[in-house]
Amino acid sequence: MKHTAIVLAAGKGSRMNSEIPKQYMEVDGKPVLYYSLAALETSFIEEVILVTGADQISYCQTEIVEKYNFTKVRKIVAGGSERYLSVYQGLQACEDTDYVYIHDGARPFLTNQILETAKACVEKHQACAAGMPVKDTIKIVDADGFAVQTPQRSLVWQVQTPQVFDYSLVRRAYDKLLQMNPIPIVTDDTMVVESMLQAPVKMFEASYENIKITTPEDLPVAEAFLRKIK
Ligand code: CTP
Ligand code: MG
């Protein structure tokens, strides 16, 4: 069975408000993107497809892949203007794979343990995603900001990546999404599989540390986690 990872690094990072895209910002001396690629390099994953901005391909090739000797990165492809378009480019670049692990390059805390849990889960369920039960009570609000519903907390999870699928299943879901007119708003891959194929997606517990670097206050948190690991 072949396991391929797609690492997404084609975003602009508008919520971070920084000069350079957040995936290339340095945390504890290395670019954010380095950490998930390092975890994949020492895992059972056979190939990594890196998706980045068209103008960032050569930077990624020399300053990340060659510099840190990431031998599993077989292709660096240009992404699109939205996350789902970048994922689609990654899916099209996969070759003869059985399972695909879609991961945000902005999540540096990927571990071998998370990958092993994902592997067992996808082999059993064909579609699964990393996540954690929420700690806060979550409110559904109306357009004016009034609370209209309070879902039972034990049933609410925050979803992370990796999101892992049988390749042909997720490929069918994305092919269908791209044929829609208009294309509905999707913010992650599980949504695509759920809404296009009505396929069940199993959630598995990853870690509360598996954060996505999104806004400036995430940076000191990430630094602290990395110091703890060392
Ligand atoms: N991503 C991507 N292609 C896009 C948009 C996002 O590959 N067109 C990637 C990002 O690089 C990131 C991951 O998807 O690793 C999660 O997206 P997000 O945190 O939303 O990153 P950005 O879109 O870059 O940030 P923002 O939404 O604040 O602009
Ligand atoms: Mg985004």
PDB file of all heavy atoms in Angstrom, residues 108-141:
ATOM      1  N   PRO A 108       2.998  22.995  12.242  1.00  0.00           N
ATOM      2  CA  PRO A 108       4.329  22.401  12.411  1.00  0.00           C
ATOM      3  C   PRO A 108       4.387  21.234  13.387  1.00  0.00           C
ATOM      4  O   PRO A 108       5.415  20.579  13.484  1.00  0.00           O
ATOM      5  CB  PRO A 108       5.171  23.573  12.930  1.00  0.00           C
ATOM      6  CG  PRO A 108       4.208  24.532  13.544  1.00  0.00           C
ATOM      7  CD  PRO A 108       2.889  24.345  12.842  1.00  0.00           C
ATOM      8  N   PHE A 109       3.310  20.950  14.108  1.00  0.00           N
ATOM      9  CA  PHE A 109       3.398  19.951  15.183  1.00  0.00           C
ATOM     10  C   PHE A 109       2.896  18.572  14.789  1.00  0.00           C
ATOM     11  O   PHE A 109       2.403  17.811  15.616  1.00  0.00           O
ATOM     12  CB  PHE A 109       2.721  20.475  16.450  1.00  0.00           C
ATOM     13  CG  PHE A 109       3.413  21.719  16.940  1.00  0.00           C
ATOM     14  CD1 PHE A 109       2.866  22.966  16.718  1.00  0.00           C
ATOM     15  CD2 PHE A 109       4.655  21.628  17.541  1.00  0.00           C
ATOM     16  CE1 PHE A 109       3.532  24.115  17.127  1.00  0.00           C
ATOM     17  CE2 PHE A 109       5.337  22.767  17.951  1.00  0.00           C
ATOM     18  CZ  PHE A 109       4.771  24.016  17.739  1.00  0.00           C
ATOM     19  N   LEU A 110       3.070  18.240  13.529  1.00  0.00           N
ATOM     20  CA  LEU A 110       2.778  16.878  13.067  1.00  0.00           C
ATOM     21  C   LEU A 110       3.792  15.931  13.706  1.00  0.00           C
ATOM     22  O   LEU A 110       4.971  16.268  13.800  1.00  0.00           O
ATOM     23  CB  LEU A 110       2.910  16.839  11.540  1.00  0.00           C
ATOM     24  CG  LEU A 110       2.588  15.525  10.860  1.00  0.00           C
ATOM     25  CD1 LEU A 110       1.128  15.145  11.070  1.00  0.00           C
ATOM     26  CD2 LEU A 110       2.882  15.626   9.356  1.00  0.00           C
ATOM     27  N   THR A 111       3.321  14.773  14.155  1.00  0.00           N
ATOM     28  CA  THR A 111       4.238  13.802  14.777  1.00  0.00           C
ATOM     29  C   THR A 111       4.053  12.431  14.133  1.00  0.00           C
ATOM     30  O   THR A 111       3.048  12.169  13.460  1.00  0.00           O
ATOM     31  CB  THR A 111       3.954  13.636  16.284  1.00  0.00           C
ATOM     32  OG1 THR A 111       2.607  13.138  16.427  1.00  0.00           O
ATOM     33  CG2 THR A 111       4.122  14.941  17.038  1.00  0.00           C
ATOM     34  N   ASN A 112       5.012  11.571  14.411  1.00  0.00           N
ATOM     35  CA  ASN A 112       4.915  10.208  13.934  1.00  0.00           C
ATOM     36  C   ASN A 112       3.699   9.502  14.543  1.00  0.00           C
ATOM     37  O   ASN A 112       3.038   8.699  13.892  1.00  0.00           O
ATOM     38  CB  ASN A 112       6.201   9.456  14.296  1.00  0.00           C
ATOM     39  CG  ASN A 112       6.558   8.492  13.205  1.00  0.00           C
ATOM     40  OD1 ASN A 112       6.584   8.849  12.038  1.00  0.00           O
ATOM     41  ND2 ASN A 112       6.791   7.246  13.578  1.00  0.00           N
ATOM     42  N   GLN A 113       3.423   9.836  15.790  1.00  0.00           N
ATOM     43  CA  GLN A 113       2.278   9.215  16.459  1.00  0.00           C
ATOM     44  C   GLN A 113       0.970   9.613  15.772  1.00  0.00           C
ATOM     45  O   GLN A 113       0.090   8.777  15.556  1.00  0.00           O
ATOM     46  CB  GLN A 113       2.265   9.622  17.933  1.00  0.00           C
ATOM     47  CG  GLN A 113       1.287   8.794  18.743  1.00  0.00           C
ATOM     48  CD  GLN A 113       1.237   9.252  20.199  1.00  0.00           C
ATOM     49  OE1 GLN A 113       2.199   9.816  20.722  1.00  0.00           O
ATOM     50  NE2 GLN A 113       0.110   9.021  20.847  1.00  0.00           N
ATOM     51  N   ILE A 114       0.838  10.879  15.400  1.00  0.00           N
ATOM     52  CA  ILE A 114      -0.372  11.322  14.697  1.00  0.00           C
ATOM     53  C   ILE A 114      -0.486  10.578  13.362  1.00  0.00           C
ATOM     54  O   ILE A 114      -1.556  10.099  12.984  1.00  0.00           O
ATOM     55  CB  ILE A 114      -0.363  12.856  14.474  1.00  0.00           C
ATOM     56  CG1 ILE A 114      -0.465  13.598  15.819  1.00  0.00           C
ATOM     57  CG2 ILE A 114      -1.489  13.282  13.533  1.00  0.00           C
ATOM     58  CD1 ILE A 114      -0.293  15.114  15.732  1.00  0.00           C
ATOM     59  N   LEU A 115       0.645  10.442  12.667  1.00  0.00           N
ATOM     60  CA  LEU A 115       0.619   9.765  11.363  1.00  0.00           C
ATOM     61  C   LEU A 115       0.249   8.288  11.512  1.00  0.00           C
ATOM     62  O   LEU A 115      -0.521   7.754  10.709  1.00  0.00           O
ATOM     63  CB  LEU A 115       1.974   9.920  10.667  1.00  0.00           C
ATOM     64  CG  LEU A 115       2.263  11.329  10.141  1.00  0.00           C
ATOM     65  CD1 LEU A 115       3.742  11.497   9.803  1.00  0.00           C
ATOM     66  CD2 LEU A 115       1.393  11.638   8.917  1.00  0.00           C
ATOM     67  N   GLU A 116       0.761   7.645  12.546  1.00  0.00           N
ATOM     68  CA  GLU A 116       0.440   6.225  12.773  1.00  0.00           C
ATOM     69  C   GLU A 116      -1.048   6.053  13.112  1.00  0.00           C
ATOM     70  O   GLU A 116      -1.697   5.114  12.649  1.00  0.00           O
ATOM     71  CB  GLU A 116       1.308   5.647  13.909  1.00  0.00           C
ATOM     72  CG  GLU A 116       2.782   5.496  13.553  1.00  0.00           C
ATOM     73  CD  GLU A 116       3.071   4.330  12.611  1.00  0.00           C
ATOM     74  OE1 GLU A 116       2.174   3.513  12.347  1.00  0.00           O
ATOM     75  OE2 GLU A 116       4.215   4.262  12.108  1.00  0.00           O
ATOM     76  N   THR A 117      -1.567   6.959  13.925  1.00  0.00           N
ATOM     77  CA  THR A 117      -2.998   6.898  14.261  1.00  0.00           C
ATOM     78  C   THR A 117      -3.827   7.085  12.996  1.00  0.00           C
ATOM     79  O   THR A 117      -4.818   6.382  12.762  1.00  0.00           O
ATOM     80  CB  THR A 117      -3.359   7.995  15.300  1.00  0.00           C
ATOM     81  OG1 THR A 117      -2.473   7.887  16.403  1.00  0.00           O
ATOM     82  CG2 THR A 117      -4.794   7.853  15.783  1.00  0.00           C
ATOM     83  N   ALA A 118      -3.416   8.034  12.158  1.00  0.00           N
ATOM     84  CA  ALA A 118      -4.126   8.311  10.904  1.00  0.00           C
ATOM     85  C   ALA A 118      -4.106   7.087   9.985  1.00  0.00           C
ATOM     86  O   ALA A 118      -5.117   6.745   9.359  1.00  0.00           O
ATOM     87  CB  ALA A 118      -3.479   9.508  10.204  1.00  0.00           C
ATOM     88  N   LYS A 119      -2.973   6.431   9.923  1.00  0.00           N
ATOM     89  CA  LYS A 119      -2.824   5.259   9.044  1.00  0.00           C
ATOM     90  C   LYS A 119      -3.798   4.154   9.455  1.00  0.00           C
ATOM     91  O   LYS A 119      -4.536   3.609   8.615  1.00  0.00           O
ATOM     92  CB  LYS A 119      -1.382   4.758   9.125  1.00  0.00           C
ATOM     93  CG  LYS A 119      -1.057   3.558   8.268  1.00  0.00           C
ATOM     94  CD  LYS A 119       0.446   3.281   8.331  1.00  0.00           C
ATOM     95  CE  LYS A 119       0.881   2.192   7.398  1.00  0.00           C
ATOM     96  NZ  LYS A 119       1.127   0.921   8.080  1.00  0.00           N
ATOM     97  N   ALA A 120      -3.817   3.860  10.745  1.00  0.00           N
ATOM     98  CA  ALA A 120      -4.733   2.812  11.230  1.00  0.00           C
ATOM     99  C   ALA A 120      -6.180   3.200  10.956  1.00  0.00           C
ATOM    100  O   ALA A 120      -7.011   2.370  10.557  1.00  0.00           O
ATOM    101  CB  ALA A 120      -4.509   2.596  12.721  1.00  0.00           C
ATOM    102  N   CYS A 121      -6.479   4.472  11.128  1.00  0.00           N
ATOM    103  CA  CYS A 121      -7.858   4.953  10.976  1.00  0.00           C
ATOM    104  C   CYS A 121      -8.305   4.925   9.509  1.00  0.00           C
ATOM    105  O   CYS A 121      -9.416   4.498   9.198  1.00  0.00           O
ATOM    106  CB  CYS A 121      -7.942   6.369  11.561  1.00  0.00           C
ATOM    107  SG  CYS A 121      -9.615   6.877  11.953  1.00  0.00           S
ATOM    108  N   VAL A 122      -7.428   5.360   8.610  1.00  0.00           N
ATOM    109  CA  VAL A 122      -7.846   5.392   7.199  1.00  0.00           C
ATOM    110  C   VAL A 122      -7.957   3.977   6.635  1.00  0.00           C
ATOM    111  O   VAL A 122      -8.818   3.704   5.787  1.00  0.00           O
ATOM    112  CB  VAL A 122      -6.919   6.286   6.338  1.00  0.00           C
ATOM    113  CG1 VAL A 122      -5.575   5.623   6.020  1.00  0.00           C
ATOM    114  CG2 VAL A 122      -7.637   6.700   5.053  1.00  0.00           C
ATOM    115  N   GLU A 123      -7.118   3.074   7.110  1.00  0.00           N
ATOM    116  CA  GLU A 123      -7.212   1.701   6.610  1.00  0.00           C
ATOM    117  C   GLU A 123      -8.537   1.066   7.024  1.00  0.00           C
ATOM    118  O   GLU A 123      -9.067   0.218   6.321  1.00  0.00           O
ATOM    119  CB  GLU A 123      -6.004   0.890   7.105  1.00  0.00           C
ATOM    120  CG  GLU A 123      -4.749   1.255   6.321  1.00  0.00           C
ATOM    121  CD  GLU A 123      -3.454   0.635   6.847  1.00  0.00           C
ATOM    122  OE1 GLU A 123      -3.449   0.022   7.929  1.00  0.00           O
ATOM    123  OE2 GLU A 123      -2.423   0.792   6.158  1.00  0.00           O
ATOM    124  N   LYS A 124      -9.076   1.527   8.141  1.00  0.00           N
ATOM    125  CA  LYS A 124     -10.343   0.978   8.622  1.00  0.00           C
ATOM    126  C   LYS A 124     -11.557   1.724   8.043  1.00  0.00           C
ATOM    127  O   LYS A 124     -12.572   1.116   7.716  1.00  0.00           O
ATOM    128  CB  LYS A 124     -10.357   1.077  10.149  1.00  0.00           C
ATOM    129  CG  LYS A 124     -11.511   0.381  10.808  1.00  0.00           C
ATOM    130  CD  LYS A 124     -11.264   0.222  12.307  1.00  0.00           C
ATOM    131  CE  LYS A 124     -12.476  -0.395  12.967  1.00  0.00           C
ATOM    132  NZ  LYS A 124     -12.468  -0.210  14.409  1.00  0.00           N
ATOM    133  N   HIS A 125     -11.430   3.061   7.902  1.00  0.00           N
ATOM    134  CA  HIS A 125     -12.626   3.870   7.590  1.00  0.00           C
ATOM    135  C   HIS A 125     -12.592   4.586   6.222  1.00  0.00           C
ATOM    136  O   HIS A 125     -13.561   5.254   5.863  1.00  0.00           O
ATOM    137  CB  HIS A 125     -12.844   4.915   8.684  1.00  0.00           C
ATOM    138  CG  HIS A 125     -13.081   4.317  10.043  1.00  0.00           C
ATOM    139  ND1 HIS A 125     -14.258   3.690  10.390  1.00  0.00           N
ATOM    140  CD2 HIS A 125     -12.280   4.239  11.135  1.00  0.00           C
ATOM    141  CE1 HIS A 125     -14.184   3.274  11.652  1.00  0.00           C
ATOM    142  NE2 HIS A 125     -12.991   3.579  12.119  1.00  0.00           N
ATOM    143  N   GLN A 126     -11.457   4.555   5.510  1.00  0.00           N
ATOM    144  CA  GLN A 126     -11.300   5.176   4.179  1.00  0.00           C
ATOM    145  C   GLN A 126     -11.277   6.706   4.173  1.00  0.00           C
ATOM    146  O   GLN A 126     -10.848   7.335   3.205  1.00  0.00           O
ATOM    147  CB  GLN A 126     -12.370   4.712   3.158  1.00  0.00           C
ATOM    148  CG  GLN A 126     -12.235   3.264   2.709  1.00  0.00           C
ATOM    149  CD  GLN A 126     -12.654   2.286   3.782  1.00  0.00           C
ATOM    150  OE1 GLN A 126     -13.766   2.363   4.269  1.00  0.00           O
ATOM    151  NE2 GLN A 126     -11.763   1.398   4.181  1.00  0.00           N
ATOM    152  N   ALA A 127     -11.808   7.335   5.216  1.00  0.00           N
ATOM    153  CA  ALA A 127     -11.792   8.805   5.290  1.00  0.00           C
ATOM    154  C   ALA A 127     -11.729   9.188   6.758  1.00  0.00           C
ATOM    155  O   ALA A 127     -12.575   8.750   7.539  1.00  0.00           O
ATOM    156  CB  ALA A 127     -13.046   9.397   4.655  1.00  0.00           C
ATOM    157  N   CYS A 128     -10.723   9.982   7.118  1.00  0.00           N
ATOM    158  CA  CYS A 128     -10.619  10.371   8.531  1.00  0.00           C
ATOM    159  C   CYS A 128      -9.865  11.685   8.656  1.00  0.00           C
ATOM    160  O   CYS A 128      -9.222  12.136   7.710  1.00  0.00           O
ATOM    161  CB  CYS A 128      -9.934   9.271   9.348  1.00  0.00           C
ATOM    162  SG  CYS A 128      -8.230   8.935   8.902  1.00  0.00           S
ATOM    163  N   ALA A 129     -10.005  12.293   9.824  1.00  0.00           N
ATOM    164  CA  ALA A 129      -9.350  13.589  10.032  1.00  0.00           C
ATOM    165  C   ALA A 129      -8.887  13.732  11.467  1.00  0.00           C
ATOM    166  O   ALA A 129      -9.566  13.299  12.404  1.00  0.00           O
ATOM    167  CB  ALA A 129     -10.301  14.727   9.685  1.00  0.00           C
ATOM    168  N   ALA A 130      -7.731  14.379  11.616  1.00  0.00           N
ATOM    169  CA  ALA A 130      -7.228  14.729  12.933  1.00  0.00           C
ATOM    170  C   ALA A 130      -8.111  15.810  13.535  1.00  0.00           C
ATOM    171  O   ALA A 130      -8.638  16.671  12.829  1.00  0.00           O
ATOM    172  CB  ALA A 130      -5.790  15.249  12.809  1.00  0.00           C
ATOM    173  N   GLY A 131      -8.241  15.767  14.850  1.00  0.00           N
ATOM    174  CA  GLY A 131      -8.996  16.807  15.534  1.00  0.00           C
ATOM    175  C   GLY A 131      -8.900  16.595  17.014  1.00  0.00           C
ATOM    176  O   GLY A 131      -8.158  15.721  17.480  1.00  0.00           O
ATOM    177  N   MET A 132      -9.613  17.414  17.767  1.00  0.00           N
ATOM    178  CA  MET A 132      -9.695  17.270  19.224  1.00  0.00           C
ATOM    179  C   MET A 132     -11.064  17.754  19.677  1.00  0.00           C
ATOM    180  O   MET A 132     -11.625  18.680  19.071  1.00  0.00           O
ATOM    181  CB  MET A 132      -8.619  18.118  19.912  1.00  0.00           C
ATOM    182  CG  MET A 132      -7.193  17.597  19.781  1.00  0.00           C
ATOM    183  SD  MET A 132      -6.914  15.905  20.347  1.00  0.00           S
ATOM    184  CE  MET A 132      -6.814  16.114  22.104  1.00  0.00           C
ATOM    185  N   PRO A 133     -11.600  17.160  20.759  1.00  0.00           N
ATOM    186  CA  PRO A 133     -12.845  17.694  21.318  1.00  0.00           C
ATOM    187  C   PRO A 133     -12.607  19.141  21.767  1.00  0.00           C
ATOM    188  O   PRO A 133     -11.526  19.449  22.262  1.00  0.00           O
ATOM    189  CB  PRO A 133     -13.105  16.799  22.541  1.00  0.00           C
ATOM    190  CG  PRO A 133     -12.248  15.590  22.356  1.00  0.00           C
ATOM    191  CD  PRO A 133     -11.077  16.006  21.526  1.00  0.00           C
ATOM    192  N   VAL A 134     -13.580  20.014  21.575  1.00  0.00           N
ATOM    193  CA  VAL A 134     -13.380  21.419  21.976  1.00  0.00           C
ATOM    194  C   VAL A 134     -13.339  21.532  23.499  1.00  0.00           C
ATOM    195  O   VAL A 134     -13.921  20.718  24.218  1.00  0.00           O
ATOM    196  CB  VAL A 134     -14.465  22.376  21.409  1.00  0.00           C
ATOM    197  CG1 VAL A 134     -14.389  22.437  19.900  1.00  0.00           C
ATOM    198  CG2 VAL A 134     -15.856  21.991  21.891  1.00  0.00           C
ATOM    199  N   LYS A 135     -12.631  22.551  23.964  1.00  0.00           N
ATOM    200  CA  LYS A 135     -12.553  22.800  25.412  1.00  0.00           C
ATOM    201  C   LYS A 135     -13.626  23.807  25.836  1.00  0.00           C
ATOM    202  O   LYS A 135     -14.172  23.726  26.925  1.00  0.00           O
ATOM    203  CB  LYS A 135     -11.176  23.335  25.775  1.00  0.00           C
ATOM    204  CG  LYS A 135     -10.038  22.361  25.501  1.00  0.00           C
ATOM    205  CD  LYS A 135      -8.724  22.975  25.963  1.00  0.00           C
ATOM    206  CE  LYS A 135      -7.529  22.210  25.473  1.00  0.00           C
ATOM    207  NZ  LYS A 135      -6.268  22.821  25.914  1.00  0.00           N
ATOM    208  N   ASP A 136     -13.889  24.774  24.985  1.00  0.00           N
ATOM    209  CA  ASP A 136     -14.909  25.783  25.288  1.00  0.00           C
ATOM    210  C   ASP A 136     -16.272  25.310  24.800  1.00  0.00           C
ATOM    211  O   ASP A 136     -16.364  24.533  23.842  1.00  0.00           O
ATOM    212  CB  ASP A 136     -14.593  27.097  24.548  1.00  0.00           C
ATOM    213  CG  ASP A 136     -13.340  27.774  25.077  1.00  0.00           C
ATOM    214  OD1 ASP A 136     -13.074  27.670  26.291  1.00  0.00           O
ATOM    215  OD2 ASP A 136     -12.635  28.399  24.266  1.00  0.00           O
ATOM    216  N   THR A 137     -17.312  25.804  25.412  1.00  0.00           N
ATOM    217  CA  THR A 137     -18.658  25.613  24.853  1.00  0.00           C
ATOM    218  C   THR A 137     -18.755  26.449  23.579  1.00  0.00           C
ATOM    219  O   THR A 137     -18.262  27.569  23.523  1.00  0.00           O
ATOM    220  CB  THR A 137     -19.717  26.061  25.880  1.00  0.00           C
ATOM    221  OG1 THR A 137     -19.652  25.161  26.976  1.00  0.00           O
ATOM    222  CG2 THR A 137     -21.116  26.064  25.295  1.00  0.00           C
ATOM    223  N   ILE A 138     -19.356  25.879  22.556  1.00  0.00           N
ATOM    224  CA  ILE A 138     -19.451  26.549  21.252  1.00  0.00           C
ATOM    225  C   ILE A 138     -20.875  27.070  21.046  1.00  0.00           C
ATOM    226  O   ILE A 138     -21.846  26.381  21.365  1.00  0.00           O
ATOM    227  CB  ILE A 138     -19.066  25.569  20.114  1.00  0.00           C
ATOM    228  CG1 ILE A 138     -17.637  25.036  20.298  1.00  0.00           C
ATOM    229  CG2 ILE A 138     -19.251  26.224  18.741  1.00  0.00           C
ATOM    230  CD1 ILE A 138     -16.512  26.030  20.137  1.00  0.00           C
ATOM    231  N   LYS A 139     -20.983  28.277  20.523  1.00  0.00           N
ATOM    232  CA  LYS A 139     -22.285  28.866  20.220  1.00  0.00           C
ATOM    233  C   LYS A 139     -22.472  29.000  18.710  1.00  0.00           C
ATOM    234  O   LYS A 139     -21.556  29.442  18.004  1.00  0.00           O
ATOM    235  CB  LYS A 139     -22.381  30.271  20.819  1.00  0.00           C
ATOM    236  CG  LYS A 139     -22.409  30.301  22.332  1.00  0.00           C
ATOM    237  CD  LYS A 139     -23.771  29.905  22.843  1.00  0.00           C
ATOM    238  CE  LYS A 139     -23.802  29.920  24.364  1.00  0.00           C
ATOM    239  NZ  LYS A 139     -25.092  29.428  24.882  1.00  0.00           N
ATOM    240  N   ILE A 140     -23.628  28.637  18.209  1.00  0.00           N
ATOM    241  CA  ILE A 140     -24.011  28.978  16.839  1.00  0.00           C
ATOM    242  C   ILE A 140     -24.767  30.305  16.951  1.00  0.00           C
ATOM    243  O   ILE A 140     -25.702  30.421  17.765  1.00  0.00           O
ATOM    244  CB  ILE A 140     -24.946  27.911  16.218  1.00  0.00           C
ATOM    245  CG1 ILE A 140     -24.334  26.494  16.351  1.00  0.00           C
ATOM    246  CG2 ILE A 140     -25.278  28.260  14.769  1.00  0.00           C
ATOM    247  CD1 ILE A 140     -23.049  26.264  15.608  1.00  0.00           C
ATOM    248  N   VAL A 141     -24.349  31.290  16.164  1.00  0.00           N
ATOM    249  CA  VAL A 141     -24.988  32.608  16.257  1.00  0.00           C
ATOM    250  C   VAL A 141     -25.699  32.946  14.945  1.00  0.00           C
ATOM    251  O   VAL A 141     -25.406  32.354  13.901  1.00  0.00           O
ATOM    252  CB  VAL A 141     -23.953  33.715  16.585  1.00  0.00           C
ATOM    253  CG1 VAL A 141     -23.296  33.457  17.940  1.00  0.00           C
ATOM    254  CG2 VAL A 141     -22.893  33.835  15.495  1.00  0.00           C
TER     255      VAL A 141
END
